[in-house]
């Protein structure tokens, strides 16, 4: 169905924003984590969004252009963590410095807000598409 | 039947199809509001093109691509603007669906001679 294809695009937006929310939550939760399986402090993560052609184009001209979004990969911060002098810390090095994640709480919270707003925008699209489908169904009555 | 309603029914159909296609373009913009280097899509309805092509609805609209954005990530989408445009677009679709539904009710009344 044609209106279903539009819902598909909005759904992709919901999934992508949820992924963004999840990485921000992970970054916030691990803002003080000094120990990871990979060794060293936690490195902040960021989803990489990429456009993706809609599999089943419903319009000859728009079909070639219509794009949904998907998370192509999750980028891990390559910068080393912040060094803080804390000799009593169990993960402190010999000279008393401990490596802390390079996570900015303000930046992550901004991400959470922005992701939430984008999620809502995609929800509005879904609701409107459903209303359009309902209006179209009224024609036959 | 066309003598009573003119070209109202095919015209409404063409417009509704255009509104639906445009909804797809705006949904694509909102979904990609945070995708780097995404250029916004829009669909314009071309009356002259529509007339020149007869009643071929797929030829009556044209897909346009906006410029690269000025944001650091090269994205040219204003999410709020897209949502407003999308709500208005859906409203226009619903208005036309209502008119079309009324026309069919009127046709039924004319055919059966009964009210409603």
């Amino acid at each position: 169905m044609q209106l279903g294809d539009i819902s598909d695009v909005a759904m992709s937006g919901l999934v992508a924003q949820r992924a963004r929310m999840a990485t921000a939550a992970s970054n916030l939760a691990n803002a003080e984590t000094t120990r990871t399986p990979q060794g060293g402090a936690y490195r902040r993560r960021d989803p990489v969004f990429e456009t993706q052609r809609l599999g089943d184009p419903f319009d000859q001209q728009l079909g070639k252009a219509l794009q949904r979004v998907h998370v192509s990969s999750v980028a891990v911060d390559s910068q080393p963590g912040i060094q803080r002098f804390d000799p009593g810390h169990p993960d402190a090095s010999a000279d008393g410095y401990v490596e802390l994640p390079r996570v900015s709480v303000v930046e992550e919270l901004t991400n959470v807000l922005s992701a939430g707003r984008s999620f809502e925008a995609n929800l509005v699209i879904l609701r409107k598409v459903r209303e359009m489908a309902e209006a179209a169904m009224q024609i036959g009555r | 039947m066309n003598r009573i309603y003119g070209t109202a029914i095919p015209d409404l159909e063409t417009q509704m199809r255009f509104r639906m296609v445009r909804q797809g373009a705006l949904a694509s913009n909102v979904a990609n509001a945070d995708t780097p280097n995404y250029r916004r899509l829009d669909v314009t309805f071309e009356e002259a093109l529509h007339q020149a092509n007869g009643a071929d609805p797929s030829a009556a609209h044209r897909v346009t691509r906006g410029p690269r954005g000025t944001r650091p990530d090269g994205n040219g989408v204003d999410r709020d603007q897209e949502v407003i445009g999308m709500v208005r677009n859906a409203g226009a679709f619903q208005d036309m669906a209502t008119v079309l539904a009324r026309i069919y009710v009127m046709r039924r009344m004319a055919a059966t001679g009964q009210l409603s």
Side-chain angles (χ1 to χ4, degrees), chain A residues 48-59:
Chain A
V48 179
F49 289 177
E50 198 178 67
T51 53
Q52 190 181 44
R53 288 260 170 81
L54 205 62
D56 186 20
F58 64 86
D59 179 80

Side-chain angles (χ1 to χ4, degrees), chain A:
Chain A
M1 191 206 165
Q2 296 174 336
L3 282 166
D5 288 335
I6 307 177
S7 307
D8 206 31
V9 173
M11 274 298 292
S12 78
L14 292 179
V15 171
Q17 296 304 332
R18 204 184 52 201
R20 193 164 155 220
M21 194 74 93
T23 52
S26 162
N27 293 341
L28 275 175
N30 288 291
E32 305 279 337
T33 304
T34 54
R35 220 176 278 181
T36 57
Q38 294 82 32
Y42 173 83
R43 300 262 170 109
R44 74 177 295 271
R45 281 147 171 78
D46 237 345
V48 179
F49 289 177
E50 198 178 67
T51 53
Q52 190 181 44
R53 288 260 170 81
L54 205 62
D56 186 20
F58 64 86
D59 179 80
Q60 282 179 359
Q61 294 162 72
L62 187 64
K64 297 188 192 100
L66 196 63
Q67 284 159 330
R68 59 181 168 201
V69 62
H70 82 124
V71 179
S72 65
S73 63
V74 177
V76 180
D77 193 3
S78 57
Q79 293 182 76
I82 300 161
Q83 300 290 330
R84 193 172 69 190
F85 187 68
D86 188 0
H89 198 283
D91 288 322
S93 59
D95 50 0
Y97 279 92
V98 60
E99 189 192 3
L100 286 166
R102 196 176 282 276
V103 172
S104 155
V105 175
V106 174
E107 190 184 335
E108 300 306 334
L109 285 178
T110 312
N111 253 329
V112 167
L113 282 179
S114 178
R117 294 257 290 134
S118 289
F119 191 89
E120 280 170 31
N122 281 291
L123 266 187
V124 172
I125 299 258
L126 269 185
R127 199 181 312 134
K128 281 289 157 192
V129 169
R130 198 197 65 207
E131 282 176 24
M132 282 168 76
E134 280 169 2
M137 294 299 277
Q138 293 287 328
I139 295 171
R141 295 235 174 109

Side-chain angles (χ1 to χ4, degrees), chain B residues 5-116:
Chain B
Y5 302 109
T7 57
I9 292 173
D11 282 354
L12 281 168
E13 275 176 15
T14 307
Q15 276 287 329
M16 281 173 75
R17 186 182 292 267
F18 158 67
R19 291 290 168 192
M20 199 159 70
V21 170
R22 181 148 194 267
Q23 193 75 0
L26 298 183
S28 176
N29 293 344
V30 173
N32 286 290
D34 300 304
T35 308
N37 298 318
Y38 176 82
R39 288 163 64 196
R40 75 177 294 271
L41 294 175
D42 209 339
V43 185
T44 51
F45 185 76
E46 310 213 325
E47 193 69 44
L49 190 63
H50 170 50
Q51 280 163 2
N53 282 283
D56 180 14
S58 67
H61 51 257
R62 196 162 58 88
V63 179
T64 58
R65 224 169 227 289
R68 271 177 62 92
T70 48
R71 262 163 46 184
D73 64 353
N75 187 309
V77 176
D78 179 347
R79 189 178 47 204
D80 300 334
Q81 212 66 44
E82 301 295 337
V83 171
I84 292 167
M86 190 270 314
V87 169
R88 290 177 64 167
N89 191 57
F93 179 94
Q94 283 161 304
D95 290 350
M96 283 181 282
T98 308
V99 173
L100 206 49
R102 291 306 301 174
I103 288 177
Y104 281 113
V105 169
M106 284 159 71
R107 278 176 69 157
R108 199 158 58 225
M109 280 160 65
T112 59
Q114 287 170 337
L115 288 178
S116 119

